[in-house]
Amino acid sequence: MINEYLFLSNDYRAAVEAYSPDSVSVDISNIEKTPLWTVTFSVPNKNEDSAKKLSEIHNMIMQYAPLVLSCESSEYYNRILFPLINELERKLRKLLYLAASISDNTNAKESIKQLEEKDFGEIFDLLFIDQNFILNMKKRINADLKSEFNGMSKYSKEEIKGYLDSLEEHILWDVILGEKYVPTLRSRFRDVQSYRNNVMHAHNINKDQFGKARYLFDKINIELNAAIGKLIGVSEASSTEHKVDV
């Protein structure tokens, strides 16, 4: 497993050359006829311990602002997180189709269609964002001359907080399911979206981000199992007990 970095000048070369992490091979190479040079850190195995070592090195090296040529510690973390994300997305679609079909809300049934054709951001906006709430808040913040807030374009923090508290927010998730279903996803959907995008777009992540993401996805998948079980009349124990690894 290797992490490899490209430096465009010799500004930090002395500091990098002096850096010698334990049990890690370091190779520094010049690129002929240029001021460019690379440093490669390698460990013999591809496992979580190796990824942890290279992740710590990555955090240290990035303070010198190199270009990242390869980051196999991040690749390792991405490969572990990918199936958890895949599981989350599939179970979420299953839950939504079940909930919308059971619901007597016609608008909800119409909204939850062909989820496979929507990207993750679209689905989350559909589920957790109330456009009317945003519109009403913008009217107050902008205080348009033609609105009821004419002459109130200057305001204190307390005024805005008071107005914010007076607004009602109606999200589709609560209409078809309720706020008690999959509470971690409901409260942390932006974190899920961020971690998911990092993995799907092969962004470099460190061991702390990996640990937080894995914990979050594992917890939500358990809650999705429980929610699906409640809708179809299967106990939580049964829904998780019959989980099959693919």
Side-chain angles (χ1 to χ4, degrees):
M1 184 180 290
I2 68 168
N3 282 10
E4 186 178 17
Y5 307 90
L6 173 66
F7 288 85
L8 307 182
S9 72
N10 288 319
D11 291 348
Y12 303 109
R13 183 152 186 165
V16 173
E17 288 179 340
Y19 180 55
S20 180
D22 293 338
S23 304
V24 177
S25 298
V26 182
D27 179 65
I28 297 177
S29 301
N30 297 314
I31 297 180
E32 291 184 5
K33 300 179 182 179
T34 75
L36 310 180
W37 54 283
T38 64
V39 58
T40 303
F41 299 92
S42 59
V43 290
N45 301 312
K46 286 193 174 184
N47 53 39
E48 198 157 338
D49 286 339
S50 297
K52 179 181 177 181
K53 285 181 182 179
L54 289 182
S55 178
E56 291 170 349
I57 291 169
H58 180 78
N59 288 343
M60 199 287 295
I61 288 295
M62 289 309 294
Q63 68 181 304
Y64 303 127
L67 298 178
V68 181
L69 297 181
S70 62
C71 187
E72 292 188 359
S73 57
S74 292
E75 180 184 350
Y76 179 87
Y77 293 145
N78 287 342
R79 288 179 181 274
I80 293 177
L81 292 175
F82 180 83
L84 300 179
I85 296 169
N86 187 272
E87 179 183 356
L88 185 153
E89 293 192 25
R90 292 180 179 277
K91 286 181 177 177
L92 177 60
R93 288 200 301 264
K94 179 178 180 178
L95 176 63
L96 293 174
Y97 284 141
L98 286 169
S101 299
I102 293 170
S103 172
D104 57 3
N105 188 301
T106 304
N107 291 333
K109 290 182 179 181
E110 190 64 27
S111 298
I112 304 299
K113 283 185 176 181
Q114 298 176 320
L115 295 177
E116 294 87 349
E117 297 178 6
K118 294 180 171 64
D119 66 34
F120 214 52
E122 286 180 289
I123 293 174
F124 276 9
D125 285 349
L126 175 68
L127 293 174
F128 301 115
I129 301 300
D130 180 357
Q131 295 296 338
N132 287 328
F133 169 81
I134 294 174
L135 181 62
N136 288 329
M137 196 63 206
K138 283 183 176 180
K139 286 180 180 178
R140 177 64 188 93
I141 296 295
N142 295 330
D144 188 89
L145 293 176
K146 297 180 181 179
S147 75
E148 60 186 295
F149 307 111
N150 182 21
M152 300 174 66
S153 58
K154 295 181 180 179
Y155 36 75
S156 68
K157 181 178 179 180
E158 289 301 317
E159 286 180 292
I160 294 301
K161 284 177 63 178
Y163 181 73
L164 182 62
D165 290 339
S166 74
L167 293 179
E168 292 187 355
E169 186 180 26
H170 302 285
I171 62 173
L172 182 60
W173 183 272
D174 291 350
V175 172
I176 63 174
L177 279 162
E179 58 184 84
K180 292 183 180 179
Y181 277 78
V182 200
T184 304
L185 176 62
R186 187 183 182 279
S187 63
R188 298 191 60 190
F189 68 94
R190 287 301 185 204
D191 290 333
V192 171
Q193 186 176 12
S194 177
Y195 288 137
R196 185 259 184 198
N197 288 343
N198 283 339
V199 172
M200 294 305 182
H201 296 294
H203 293 168
N204 294 323
I205 60 174
N206 60 36
K207 66 181 180 64
D208 291 333
Q209 292 169 315
F210 164 69
K212 291 176 181 177
R214 180 163 63 174
Y215 173 82
L216 182 61
F217 292 135
D218 279 339
K219 185 175 183 181
I220 291 173
N221 284 335
I222 290 172
E223 291 178 2
L224 284 168
N225 276 339
I228 292 168
K230 288 179 182 178
L231 288 184
I232 62 178
V234 180
S235 68
E236 287 187 41
S238 297
S239 65
T240 54
E241 181 181 349
H242 294 97
K243 177 181 175 182
V244 177
D245 290 329
V246 179

